[in-house]
Amino acid sequence: MIKKLKNTGSLDNQISFSNEKLFTDLSHLIEQSRQQVAMQANSILTILFWQVGKRINDDILQNQRAEYGKQIVSTLSAQLENLYGRNFTERNVRRMMQFAESFPDIQIVSPLATQLSWSHFIELLPLKSYEAKLFYAQLSIEGKFGKRELRKQITSKAFERTEIANLQSSQNENFPINTFKDPYLLDFLGLQNDYLEKDIETAILHELEKFILELGKGFAFVERQKRMIIDGEDFYLDLLFYHRSLKRLIAIELKLGKFQAKYKGQMELYLKWLNKNEKQEGEEMPIGLILCAESSKEQVELLEMHKDGIMVAEYWTELPPKKELEQKLHLALIEAKERFERKNLL
C-alpha cells in the first residue's frame, strides 16, 4: 500500500510538471500570436489612414479650389466620424492628408507601417524634411522606441547632430554615415558645471545602456579604463566599445575643456596598440572618438584627423533651450559644410 501511494505521488508530480511546461509553452504561443495580430492590425490601420489621406488629397487637387478643400474635409470627416468613430475626427483626417503628403510613396510606407504605430507617424509629421522623417522612423525601428523616446530624440535634434557628424565622416570610409553624432548630449547624466572627468566616466557607466543608445545601434561595451603597457609605462583608455556591424573596436576618450592638438597623438598611440594587440581576425582597423567640451574645428581640420581614423565631437552636459539649440546646430552645420567644401577644393 505504501509503495502504491509513493508511485501515485510521483505520477502526480510528473503530471503537474508536464502541465506547467505545457501551460508555459501555450502561453508563449498565444502571446506571440496576439502580438502579431496587434502588429498586423496596426499596419492595416496605418495604411488605411494613408489611403484615406491620399484619396482626399487627389480629390482636392483635381478640383483645384481651396474653398472646396476646406468644405469637403469638414463634411467628410463629420460623416466618417459619425459612422466609424473618433479615428476620423476632422483633426485626424487632416493628419491623414498630411501623412499621405509627407510620405508620398506607399512602397516606403508599407514596410514602415509594419514596425511603427500611427502615434509614431504623428510625431514625424511636423518635421520639415523628408530625410529627417525617414531618419527618425529608422531610428525608432532600430532602437524599438516608443513615441516618448522618439519625441525625445526629435527634441534633442538627433538628425541634425548626425548630419554634422556625417560631414566629418564622409571624408573617409573609416566612418560610415550615421555612426556618430556631434555634439553628444549628456544631459541625462545630471552633471553640474564643476564636474570632473572621472565623474563623467562614472555617470556614463551608471547609465551605460542610455549612452550606447546615444552612440547608436550596434555598439557593445567592452571595457572601461583599458590598460595598455607601452615601454613599461601604463596608459589607460577611457572607454572601449566594439561595433558589430562595422566589425571594429571603437576607442573613446573624454576630455575636459577645449580640444588640444596633443590629443591626436595620444589617440593614434592607443589605436595602433589596439590594432596590434586587440584586433581579432576578420576585424577592421580600430577607430577613435575624442569627446571634448569644445572641438576646436580649425585645429581638427588642419590635423586631418579623419585620415588616421579619429573623429572629434563635442559633448554638452545639459540641453540648451530649443531656440538656442537650433541656432547652435545651425551654425555648426554651416561650419561643417564649409570645412567639407574647402577640403574638396584642395
Side-chain angles (χ1 to χ4, degrees):
M1 179 67 69
I2 295 173
K3 186 177 181 181
K4 185 177 181 181
L5 286 172
K6 284 183 178 180
N7 288 340
T8 302
S10 177
L11 181 60
D12 287 344
N13 289 337
Q14 290 176 8
I15 292 172
S16 176
F17 176 78
S18 178
N19 283 345
E20 285 181 15
K21 186 179 185 306
L22 180 60
F23 175 76
T24 301
D25 291 346
L26 292 177
S27 295
H28 182 66
L29 287 172
I30 292 168
E31 289 297 330
Q32 269 190 329
S33 297
R34 288 176 67 178
Q35 290 176 9
Q36 290 171 358
V37 168
M39 289 174 62
Q40 188 175 11
N42 169 74
S43 174
I44 292 170
L45 192 63
T46 301
I47 291 173
L48 170 65
F49 289 164
W50 185 90
Q51 291 172 329
V52 169
K54 178 73 163 56
R55 180 66 181 82
I56 296 173
N57 287 342
D58 289 347
D59 186 81
I60 292 172
L61 184 65
Q62 184 179 351
N63 282 272
Q64 297 182 345
R65 295 204 312 271
E67 192 57 40
Y68 170 81
K70 290 180 182 178
Q71 184 179 349
I72 195 67
V73 172
S74 179
T75 303
L76 271 175
S77 60
Q79 291 174 318
L80 292 171
E81 183 182 7
N82 183 56
L83 194 58
Y84 298 110
R86 296 181 60 186
N87 274 336
F88 296 93
T89 61
E90 183 173 348
R91 183 184 181 189
N92 259 353
V93 168
R94 291 193 180 279
R95 281 173 171 167
M96 295 172 201
M97 295 167 63
Q98 189 181 358
F99 179 36
E101 187 177 359
S102 298
F103 293 87
D105 190 348
I106 189 61
Q107 300 301 320
I108 291 177
V109 171
S110 293
L112 291 179
T114 63
Q115 301 175 81
L116 298 175
S117 69
W118 175 237
S119 296
H120 284 96
F121 284 107
I122 289 174
E123 296 294 332
L124 298 175
L125 292 181
L127 298 173
K128 292 180 180 179
S129 78
Y130 183 59
E131 291 77 12
K133 290 182 176 72
L134 291 181
F135 172 87
Y136 286 112
Q138 194 60 39
L139 190 68
S140 294
I141 292 169
E142 291 176 353
K144 297 181 180 178
F145 293 156
K147 67 176 183 179
R148 288 184 181 178
E149 181 59 32
L150 170 58
R151 192 179 301 149
K152 179 182 175 183
Q153 292 292 329
I154 293 172
T155 300
S156 67
K157 304 289 182 182
F159 172 72
E160 289 83 353
R161 292 185 290 121
T162 304
E163 191 176 13
I164 291 168
N166 282 345
L167 280 169
Q168 200 176 150
S169 302
S170 59
Q171 297 176 47
N172 193 288
E173 63 181 10
N174 284 328
F175 303 109
I177 63 169
N178 298 335
T179 301
F180 298 107
K181 295 184 178 72
D182 185 7
Y184 286 87
L185 301 179
L186 307 184
D187 55 304
F188 60 84
L189 299 179
L191 300 175
Q192 303 300 318
N193 291 332
D194 58 347
Y195 58 84
L196 298 174
E197 195 163 351
K198 63 182 178 60
D199 297 326
I200 295 177
E201 293 171 356
T202 301
I204 286 175
L205 282 176
H206 184 65
E207 298 286 346
L208 185 58
E209 184 177 354
K210 292 180 182 177
F211 187 66
I212 289 174
L213 287 175
E214 173 68 15
L215 289 173
K217 184 176 174 64
F219 282 86
F221 177 70
V222 177
E223 195 171 343
R224 178 196 178 203
Q225 292 295 306
K226 173 67 178 178
R227 184 186 181 198
M228 294 171 279
I229 303 175
I230 304 172
D231 288 334
E233 186 178 351
D234 288 341
F235 294 84
Y236 293 92
L237 171 68
D238 287 334
L239 292 165
L240 183 62
F241 287 84
Y242 180 76
H243 198 290
R244 293 192 304 172
S245 60
L246 298 183
K247 293 183 172 58
R248 300 174 187 268
L249 288 167
I250 312 290
I252 300 177
E253 277 286 291
L254 300 160
K255 299 296 183 182
L256 295 175
K258 196 172 183 179
F259 172 80
Q260 298 179 37
K262 65 181 181 180
Y263 296 157
K264 178 190 178 185
Q266 182 187 37
M267 180 58 81
E268 284 178 329
L269 181 67
Y270 291 169
L271 293 180
K272 286 177 181 177
W273 188 93
L274 290 169
N275 185 61
K276 179 181 178 181
N277 297 283
E278 294 290 328
K279 188 184 78 170
Q280 296 184 6
E281 186 177 350
E283 292 181 1
E284 302 293 335
M285 287 276 293
I287 57 178
L289 172 65
I290 302 174
L291 289 174
C292 301
E294 191 177 341
S295 65
S296 304
K297 296 175 175 60
E298 190 173 357
Q299 285 191 50
V300 171
E301 181 182 359
L302 290 171
L303 289 169
E304 297 185 317
M305 311 282 285
H306 63 280
K307 290 186 177 180
D308 299 299
I310 303 171
M311 180 171 172
V312 178
E314 293 182 2
Y315 62 81
W316 297 346
T317 56
E318 59 181 13
L319 187 63
K322 184 178 179 180
K323 286 186 178 180
E324 185 181 339
L325 173 63
E326 289 176 346
Q327 185 179 20
K328 282 187 175 184
L329 290 174
H330 179 67
L331 291 173
L333 193 54
I334 290 173
E335 290 175 357
K337 286 179 178 177
E338 287 176 350
R339 293 201 312 275
F340 182 68
E341 288 168 1
R342 285 200 301 270
K343 187 70 65 179
N344 285 342
L345 288 174
L346 295 177

